């Protein structure tokens, strides 16, 4: 997405913004005495009518990227009550498209660092936090006419199960050495993003959006579908099938989500068999000793959207 113009006989596209603006925000609750903390990494991209800056060295229509950075801190300060990462992105995008006549579209991407409240002796700490693993993400696009697109997501959701996974019936040719199996370890690092149905700022003005709660609920559905019940689990015939089950479960559970995209690399744990001429069985693999690997790994991704979705 970019502004497109005809300049000097060329097709010309441009945008500008500020990347990796890091901000931490603490809210101190007067009711329960607890502190609430978030750390966000904000990226801003503006589509604006500032062609003269490129072709005539005239910067009079440019919103300086340093101003964008400062605006993040100003808006964080103005949020006197705790807001979700999605709400903050919408607030920023609304500001840039309404405050500056030149700006036609604002694209805000934010990654939330996974700080989690600690517990001591079973009691949540009022102001103590530890760093978790998976990250909450969002991308918000707002146009000057009020059009809105909100996508939320999770990155780095590392999950593993030691059984209830197999891979059979795939194409075999002269280059295939992978054995078929109904018993293997399944590990992946889920990246998922889902788009909400609403398409304008006016459509959300009076809604209780509860983005953080929805993020936690979607993440739970993804994990529940991957793992299955605590005792018996659920069989995975392939990463592809499990990915589809997970996406389908999210769309089935949340009618306000119009589409979901999933990326699930197949992170391999290789069976360890060790032998030598003197000792043909040093280690015999019996679904117990593995070599963890990072690369190469399988890459599986897909998206599901409702037939009436505009994604």
């Amino acid at each position: 997405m970019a502004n497109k113009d005809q300049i000097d006989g060329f097709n010309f596209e441009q945008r500008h913004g500020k990347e990796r603006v890091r901000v931490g925000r603490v809210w101190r609750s007067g009711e329960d005495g607890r502190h609430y903390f978030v750390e966000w990494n904000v990226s801003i991209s503006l589509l604006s009518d500032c062609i003269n800056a490129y072709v005539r060295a005239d910067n009079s229509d440019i919103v300086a990227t340093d101003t964008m950075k400062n605006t993040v801190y100003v808006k964080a300060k103005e949020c006197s009550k705790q807001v979700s990462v999605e709400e903050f992105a919408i607030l920023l995008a609304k500001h840039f498209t309404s405050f500056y006549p030149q700006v036609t579209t604002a694209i805000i991407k934010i990654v939330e660092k996974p700080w989690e409240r600690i517990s001591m002796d079973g009691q949540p700490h009022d102001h103590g936090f530890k760093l978790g693993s998976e990250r909450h993400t969002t991308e918000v696009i707002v146009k000057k006419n009020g059009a809105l697109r909100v996508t939320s997501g999770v990155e780095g959701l590392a999950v593993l199960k030691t059984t209830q996974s197999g891979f059979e019936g795939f194409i075999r040719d002269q280059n295939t050495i992978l054995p078929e199996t109904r018993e293997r370890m399944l590990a992946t690092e889920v990246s998922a993003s889902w788009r909400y149905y609403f398409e304008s700022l006016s459509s959300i003005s009076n809604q209780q959006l509860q983005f953080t709660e929805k993020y936690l609920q979607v993440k739970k559905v993804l994990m529940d579908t991957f793992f299955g019940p605590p005792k018996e689990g659920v069989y995975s015939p392939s990463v592809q099938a499990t990915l589809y089950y997970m996406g389908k479960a999210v769309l089935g559970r949340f009618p306000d989500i119009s589409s979901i995209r999933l990326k699930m690399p197949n992170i391999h744990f290789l069976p360890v068999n060790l032998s030598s001429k003197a000792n043909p069985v040093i280690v015999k693999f019996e679904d117990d000793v593995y070599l963890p690997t990072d690369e190469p790994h399988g890459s599986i991704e897909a998206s599901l959207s409702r037939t009436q979705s505009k994604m």
Side-chain angles (χ1 to χ4, degrees):
M1 179 182 292
N3 280 4
K4 296 182 180 180
D5 296 279
Q6 286 278 339
I7 302 293
D8 298 330
F10 302 105
N11 291 319
F12 180 66
E13 299 182 7
Q14 54 83 20
R15 64 161 77 182
H16 75 291
K18 199 75 165 181
E19 300 280 337
R20 302 185 69 180
V21 182
R22 295 178 61 183
V23 56
R25 181 62 159 100
V26 175
W27 290 278
R28 292 169 168 82
S29 173
E31 299 176 0
D32 59 12
R34 284 187 179 176
H35 294 186
Y36 297 85
F37 175 71
V38 293
E39 181 182 343
W40 292 327
N41 192 323
V42 182
S43 295
I44 302 162
S45 187
L46 302 184
L47 279 61
S48 62
D49 297 326
C50 58
I51 297 174
N52 287 339
Y54 294 89
V55 300
R56 296 187 178 87
D58 177 359
N59 296 332
S60 58
D61 290 328
I62 284 282
V63 180
T65 65
D66 187 68
T67 302
M68 299 181 202
K69 176 203 69 179
N70 295 339
T71 301
V72 171
Y73 301 115
V74 170
K75 292 303 177 183
K77 176 68 175 178
E78 291 177 357
C79 292
S80 57
K81 294 184 178 180
Q82 187 177 2
V83 295
S84 68
V85 65
E86 289 89 351
E87 290 169 311
F88 188 68
I90 292 171
L91 184 153
L92 278 176
K94 284 173 62 177
H95 168 79
F96 288 118
T97 53
S98 62
F99 189 79
Y100 298 103
Q102 299 87 349
V103 175
T104 57
T105 303
I107 304 167
I108 310 296
K109 297 181 181 180
I110 306 180
V111 177
E112 181 172 315
K113 207 164 186 176
W115 290 105
E116 303 170 349
R117 187 179 304 280
I118 66 166
S119 292
M120 300 184 68
D121 300 325
Q123 181 178 352
H125 201 286
D126 280 353
H127 55 267
F129 300 85
K130 68 178 180 67
L131 193 60
S133 53
E134 66 270 8
R135 301 170 297 281
H136 184 175
T137 67
T138 192
E139 179 186 72
V140 168
I141 301 175
V142 172
K143 296 185 178 181
K144 192 174 286 293
N145 64 5
L148 170 68
R149 188 172 80 180
V150 178
T151 303
S152 295
V154 60
E155 292 181 352
L157 178 59
V159 290
L160 176 153
K161 57 184 184 180
T162 55
T163 188
Q164 287 284 55
S165 172
F167 191 49
E168 302 174 284
F170 49 89
I171 294 173
R172 305 197 71 88
D173 58 34
Q174 66 272 19
N175 297 323
T176 304
I177 60 173
L178 182 69
E180 297 190 0
T181 182
R182 289 189 61 83
E183 178 59 47
R184 68 172 183 171
M185 185 178 292
L186 178 58
T188 187
E189 187 172 286
V190 180
S191 295
S193 60
W194 52 92
R195 181 177 169 185
Y196 292 99
Y197 254 122
F198 39 78
E199 295 183 344
S200 68
L201 290 169
S202 60
S203 67
I204 66 167
S205 57
N206 297 318
Q207 291 189 36
Q208 293 293 323
L209 298 173
Q210 299 181 321
F211 285 113
T212 301
E213 291 83 353
K214 184 61 61 68
Y215 164 77
L216 295 173
Q217 292 167 2
V218 170
K219 190 170 66 168
K220 183 177 186 302
V221 168
L222 291 172
M223 290 193 294
D224 287 352
T225 308
F226 178 87
F227 290 113
K231 293 297 184 182
E232 61 269 28
V234 63
Y235 182 71
S236 169
S238 66
V239 179
Q240 286 86 344
T242 295
L243 181 153
Y244 178 74
Y245 300 153
M246 291 164 69
K248 184 179 178 182
V250 169
L251 293 185
R253 172 69 173 79
F254 305 105
D256 56 343
I257 292 178
S258 62
S259 59
I260 183 168
R261 179 178 297 275
L262 287 154
K263 183 175 183 179
M264 293 171 53
N266 189 4
I267 301 173
H268 303 300
F269 283 73
L270 304 179
V272 172
N273 287 291
L274 297 180
S275 63
S276 68
K277 289 184 178 180
N279 188 350
V281 182
I282 300 173
V283 173
K284 180 182 179 181
F285 179 71
E286 296 175 317
D287 298 312
D288 51 1
V289 180
Y290 298 83
L291 170 63
T293 65
D294 290 322
E295 54 188 27
H297 60 247
S299 178
I300 295 93
E301 55 185 295
S303 61
L304 288 78
S305 59
R306 304 182 196 277
T307 53
Q308 66 270 32
S309 171
K310 296 182 179 180
M311 185 174 182

